Amino acid sequence: MSSILRKDQFHLPEGVIYLDGNSLGPLPKSVPARVAAMLTDEWGEMLIKGWNTAGWMAQPSAVGNTVGGLVGAPDGTIAMGDTLSVKVFQAVAAAIKMRPERKVILSDTGNFPTDLYMVDGLTKLLDDGYSLRTESPEDITDFIDDSVAVVMLTQVDYRTGRMHDMDAVTKAAHAAGAVMIWDLAHSAGAVPVDLSACQCEFAVGCTYKYLNGGPGAPAFIYVRSDLADQVDPALAGWLGHDAPFDFDLDYRPAPGIERMRVGTPPVIQMASLEEALKVWDGVDMAELRRASIALQEQFIEEIEAQVPALTLASPRDSATRGSQVSFAFKEGYAAMQAVIARGVIGDFRAPNIMRFGFTPLYVDAADVTAAVKHIAEVINGNLWDNPVYKQRSRVT
Amino acid sequence: MSSILRKDQFHLPEGVIYLDGNSLGPLPKSVPARVAAMLTDEWGEMLIKGWNTAGWMAQPSAVGNTVGGLVGAPDGTIAMGDTLSVKVFQAVAAAIKMRPERKVILSDTGNFPTDLYMVDGLTKLLDDGYSLRTESPEDITDFIDDSVAVVMLTQVDYRTGRMHDMDAVTKAAHAAGAVMIWDLAHSAGAVPVDLSACQCEFAVGCTYKYLNGGPGAPAFIYVRSDLADQVDPALAGWLGHDAPFDFDLDYRPAPGIERMRVGTPPVIQMASLEEALKVWDGVDMAELRRASIALQEQFIEEIEAQVPALTLASPRDSATRGSQVSFAFKEGYAAMQAVIARGVIGDFRAPNIMRFGFTPLYVDAADVTAAVKHIAEVINGNLWDNPVYKQRSRVT
């Protein structure tokens, strides 16, 4: 595990145990210098020439290849940019066109809401009989039939950490003739993913969680290499054009994954992300997974032993859990605020979920033990029962 | 003019005369410190709490109000985020739903290609009889009839600087029952714009040109205040939801302009933009316009007197020109490279346009005279006729 832990590469505030890297990863120490150089030496000194000289134009593809290395995607199959919501839209819009005779987009009730909302917006826009159907995650494969054009799922449930078997669900989708889209928001950098082996048509994800790219870091979209040249981009932006600087009036998609680029890339965010990804040099995802499971098992055992008022809301079997552990507690909101006040940062998800992410790059066994001690004191001592912790803020 | 010029607030490289702020504005000097503080003090120290404590969640609206102040939009009518391409898609998708019985989206051949491409992608996605029609900019109003659902134009032509009369075209669109969308890419921070007076339904724009927000800075979308609550967002992202942190499975748009937000905002880019906008404190747009026209007139007169081989490609009447001047020259690409090699940075747009932007915040009359001297030496001395200047790079 020693080769995985690299706490020294992260800026972690004094006295904080950070169990919320599944929401926003911490700042890698080398990012500020890299961003400063990008601002002053690139934007400041090169001005417009930065697009070529500093490589801003090629950067989304290069960063895409680096992200690809962490999720089993070959070079040239991932485009970076926009937000995860926009990438979901691109994937679903492309996928439904591949099965024009089918009208159902199937997802599960554990999916992150924005994925469902984006499909809702798309189906209303199309106004052509499409419908979004959501079923429970546990038996989602039972609902994949020949009415289903697209199965769109998030591999790891943002609330409970429950994890789908990507290979098995993809096989079921393909057996029924449906197109498979995976959202890897809580997978990339959290669990081993092998997109090539999975054979799904599309995948999307974000980079501000386990990949530590910073708040609002660019999202990614993967298109299986045999399909990229066939996909019709619904968001037909100029940087997805075959020759953007010819300024043709007619759209002609670029070959391959480049067509999934849309507008001007967010160069400052991209510099932050590119630098942040260097933390992953030499990380073996199988080893990371073993370390993650060890931390989670330790946490569950210590919480169950010391804090009986909490009920495990995550699957008990680590093989079906991502890199987070959630506990249900009726006063979860206030309890989490009280825990955070002690420097142990997790988060709360309605209605009653206390959520803790485990990221072996900067969390170790001593952190887990210390975190449990604080949680036990807060819950067992009813320290959450204080108006100051019950006051809601907009973002929880 | 002295109150407009504020060269000292920009990082301008030694020996450079920058006439390309219409492509990428230069770095405001205070941006690096602000971004560094955002990275270290906010992301680094506050971690996930930055969404509330540092105001990241509210920032897109606050920045939108600042941008609104520069384009005559009331508070609460502009949402920041994504790219201009994505904002065009949002606007057109919303606009066509307001005229369901009409199927034509009308634009002009001077529009920036990505606007046309996004409509192309949308019409193919809808596959419901919609068509994009492009006519020449000079007589676009002749083509606005009762088949036209939406008129979508960029006010200032990116190639020639030709400027539409927003009020007149909007009136013509409304007289024919069409919805009006203005792209302000080359207007915001360049010319006075009064969106309230214009009464157009939608406007979009970018902030990395005259607003100096940095490469890939967030875009904006304006929705007329009486319409915002009626618009159905095609890109129905979770941050446009009425209560994003309730994590409802069903989408319910936020009241007003907030529904045009999509995914997680790019906080690092937003910090850069917010800081860059401080340069505009106390700038009077009418005075800026007078200064811009004075620089452009001086440039045209000096070029026409000293460089007869160049042909003005912009309108001669300054009232119908934005804040740039373009000249046609058959070897414009090589000539521009030779001019850039001397520190005078303009850019080239196919097939033969040498383009120069005038930004009175950091360009003065002495710069214009010096720039013309270099251009004259390059063109009159055939200095562009050198293989080193003819080699094409991807981005020009």
Side-chain angles (χ1 to χ4, degrees):
Chain A
M1 210 187 311
S2 58
S3 69
I4 289 293
L5 190 68
R6 43 197 71 192
K7 256 185 185 178
D8 58 324
Q9 293 188 37
F10 291 92
H11 177 102
L12 294 166
E14 193 63 35
V16 161
I17 297 170
Y18 196 56
L19 304 180
D20 208 4
N22 48 325
S23 185
L24 175 68
L27 173 68
K29 279 183 185 166
S30 66
V31 163
R34 167 69 190 275
V35 171
M38 183 270 140
L39 294 175
T40 303
D41 304 342
E42 298 182 10
W43 176 15
E45 285 293 316
M46 299 177 191
L47 292 157
I48 193 69
K49 292 183 281 187
W51 288 107
N52 281 319
T53 310
W56 300 341
M57 195 53 78
Q59 196 176 21
S61 309
V63 174
N65 289 343
T66 306
V67 171
L70 298 172
V71 292
D75 280 2
T77 59
I78 285 186
M80 306 299 303
D82 307 298
T83 62
L84 178 50
S85 301
V86 168
K87 292 309 184 200
V88 165
F89 187 89
Q90 282 188 294
V92 178
I96 57 173
K97 295 290 179 179
M98 295 165 64
R99 298 292 181 274
E101 71 292 356
R102 299 180 176 203
K103 296 292 183 185
V104 174
I105 297 136
L106 179 68
S107 191
D108 71 36
T109 52
N111 206 343
F112 189 74
T114 207
D115 295 39
L116 307 179
Y117 300 165
M118 292 306 288
V119 172
D120 184 68
L122 175 62
T123 58
K124 283 186 184 140
L125 176 68
L126 289 168
D127 191 21
D128 191 27
Y130 286 97
S131 67
L132 170 65
R133 180 169 168 184
T134 51
E135 300 291 346
S136 73
E138 289 72 16
D139 45 16
I140 192 71
T141 52
D142 297 347
F143 295 92
I144 308 176
D145 58 30
D146 63 10
S147 71
V148 175
V150 180
V151 181
M152 173 194 70
L153 296 171
T154 297
Q155 186 194 13
V156 177
D157 186 304
Y158 75 105
R159 242 184 305 226
T160 65
R162 175 203 39 73
M163 184 164 67
H164 279 298
D165 180 334
M166 282 178 65
D167 290 345
V169 176
T170 302
K171 273 198 182 65
H174 288 173
V179 176
M180 186 76 224
I181 301 173
W182 285 106
D183 179 341
L184 303 177
H186 290 266
S187 306
V191 297
V193 172
D194 189 342
L195 284 172
S196 286
C198 164
Q199 284 290 303
C200 62
E201 284 84 352
F202 299 92
V204 295
C206 65
T207 62
Y208 51 76
K209 296 178 184 290
Y210 295 92
L211 299 181
N212 314 304
F220 66 87
I221 184 166
Y222 160 89
V223 182
R224 207 175 67 197
S225 54
D226 59 309
L227 296 171
D229 282 337
Q230 300 163 35
V231 166
D232 232 354
L235 300 178
W238 74 303
L239 288 183
H241 192 281
D242 187 35
F245 291 91
D246 283 0
F247 300 105
D248 291 338
L249 292 184
D250 294 319
Y251 183 71
R252 189 174 73 244
I257 192 69
E258 294 282 306
R259 68 182 59 189
M260 301 311 268
R261 290 175 69 162
V262 187
T264 303
V267 179
I268 311 176
Q269 302 273 170
M270 206 70 81
S272 171
L273 172 60
E274 190 171 55
E275 186 63 32
L277 290 171
K278 292 183 182 166
V279 168
W280 292 89
D281 285 353
V283 171
D284 176 76
M285 288 303 297
E287 193 183 346
L288 180 103
R289 175 68 173 157
R290 284 192 294 276
S292 162
I293 289 175
L295 293 171
Q296 294 180 66
E297 291 295 312
Q298 178 196 345
F299 184 72
I300 293 171
E301 286 162 21
E302 293 186 8
I303 287 283
E304 292 190 334
Q306 297 175 45
V307 199
L310 297 190
T311 308
L312 185 66
S314 297
R316 188 62 192 83
D317 175 7
S318 64
T320 62
R321 205 173 58 225
S323 198
Q324 70 172 71
V325 174
S326 298
F327 282 92
F329 181 61
K330 65 177 190 316
E331 292 286 352
Y333 180 85
M336 187 55 88
Q337 298 312 306
V339 168
I340 289 172
R342 289 165 160 248
V344 177
I345 304 183
D347 62 21
F348 171 79
R349 287 293 176 257
N352 64 348
I353 296 290
M354 298 176 72
R355 188 174 80 150
F356 303 92
F358 294 89
T359 47
L361 301 186
Y362 53 83
V363 172
D364 61 22
D367 292 327
V368 171
T369 298
V372 171
K373 182 167 174 290
H374 282 296
I375 296 165
E377 286 173 8
V378 163
I379 304 284
N380 299 343
N382 289 325
L383 303 185
W384 51 264
D385 192 13
N386 180 328
V388 76
Y389 299 131
K390 295 182 178 177
Q391 200 173 342
R392 298 279 177 138
S393 55
R394 176 147 187 242
V395 188
T396 60
Chain B
M1 210 186 309
S2 59
S3 69
I4 289 293
L5 191 67
R6 43 198 72 193
K7 258 186 185 179
D8 59 322
Q9 294 188 37
F10 291 92
H11 178 102
L12 295 166
E14 193 65 31
V16 161
I17 297 171
Y18 196 57
L19 304 180
D20 210 4
N22 48 324
S23 186
L24 175 69
L27 173 68
K29 279 184 184 164
S30 65
V31 163
R34 167 68 191 276
V35 171
M38 183 268 140
L39 293 175
T40 303
D41 304 342
E42 298 182 10
W43 177 15
E45 283 293 315
M46 298 176 189
L47 291 157
I48 193 68
K49 290 183 281 186
W51 288 108
N52 281 320
T53 310
W56 300 341
M57 196 52 77
Q59 197 177 20
S61 309
V63 174
N65 290 342
T66 306
V67 171
L70 297 172
V71 292
D75 280 3
T77 59
I78 285 185
M80 305 300 302
D82 307 299
T83 63
L84 178 50
S85 302
V86 168
K87 291 310 183 199
V88 165
F89 187 90
Q90 283 188 293
V92 179
I96 57 173
K97 294 291 179 180
M98 295 166 64
R99 298 292 181 274
E101 71 292 357
R102 300 180 176 202
K103 296 291 182 185
V104 174
I105 297 137
L106 179 68
S107 191
D108 70 37
T109 52
N111 207 343
F112 189 74
T114 207
D115 294 40
L116 308 179
Y117 301 164
M118 293 305 289
V119 172
D120 183 67
L122 175 61
T123 58
K124 282 186 184 140
L125 175 69
L126 288 168
D127 191 20
D128 192 26
Y130 286 97
S131 67
L132 170 65
R133 181 170 168 182
T134 51
E135 301 291 348
S136 73
E138 289 72 16
D139 46 16
I140 192 72
T141 51
D142 296 348
F143 295 92
I144 308 176
D145 59 28
D146 64 9
S147 71
V148 174
V150 179
V151 181
M152 173 193 70
L153 296 170
T154 298
Q155 186 194 12
V156 177
D157 187 304
Y158 76 104
R159 242 183 306 223
T160 66
R162 176 203 40 72
M163 184 164 67
H164 280 298
D165 179 334
M166 283 178 64
D167 289 346
V169 177
T170 303
K171 274 196 180 66
H174 289 175
V179 175
M180 186 75 225
I181 301 174
W182 284 107
D183 179 341
L184 304 177
H186 290 266
S187 307
V191 298
V193 173
D194 189 343
L195 284 173
S196 286
C198 162
Q199 283 291 303
C200 62
E201 284 84 352
F202 299 92
V204 295
C206 64
T207 63
Y208 51 76
K209 297 179 184 290
Y210 296 91
L211 299 180
N212 314 304
F220 66 87
I221 185 166
Y222 161 88
V223 182
R224 207 175 67 196
S225 55
D226 59 310
L227 297 171
D229 281 339
Q230 301 164 36
V231 166
D232 233 354
L235 301 178
W238 74 302
L239 287 182
H241 192 279
D242 187 36
F245 291 90
D246 284 0
F247 300 103
D248 290 336
L249 292 184
D250 294 319
Y251 183 70
R252 190 174 72 244
I257 191 68
E258 294 282 306
R259 67 182 58 189
M260 301 311 267
R261 290 176 69 160
V262 186
T264 304
V267 180
I268 310 176
Q269 302 272 168
M270 206 69 82
S272 172
L273 172 60
E274 190 171 56
E275 185 64 31
L277 290 170
K278 292 183 182 166
V279 169
W280 292 89
D281 284 353
V283 171
D284 176 74
M285 288 304 295
E287 194 184 346
L288 180 102
R289 175 68 172 157
R290 285 192 294 275
S292 162
I293 289 176
L295 293 171
Q296 294 179 66
E297 291 295 313
Q298 179 196 345
F299 184 72
I300 293 171
E301 286 162 22
E302 293 186 8
I303 288 282
E304 291 190 333
Q306 298 175 44
V307 199
L310 297 189
T311 307
L312 185 67
S314 297
R316 188 62 192 82
D317 176 7
S318 64
T320 61
R321 205 172 59 224
S323 199
Q324 70 173 71
V325 174
S326 298
F327 282 93
F329 181 61
K330 64 177 191 317
E331 291 287 352
Y333 181 84
M336 187 54 89
Q337 297 312 305
V339 169
I340 290 172
R342 290 165 161 250
V344 178
I345 304 183
D347 62 22
F348 171 79
R349 286 292 177 259
N352 64 348
I353 297 291
M354 299 176 71
R355 189 174 79 150
F356 303 92
F358 294 89
T359 47
L361 301 185
Y362 53 83
V363 172
D364 60 22
D367 292 327
V368 170
T369 298
V372 171
K373 182 168 174 290
H374 282 296
I375 295 166
E377 286 172 7
V378 163
I379 304 284
N380 299 344
N382 289 325
L383 303 184
W384 50 265
D385 192 13
N386 179 329
V388 77
Y389 298 132
K390 295 182 177 177
Q391 201 173 342
R392 300 278 177 138
S393 56
R394 177 149 185 239
V395 188
T396 60

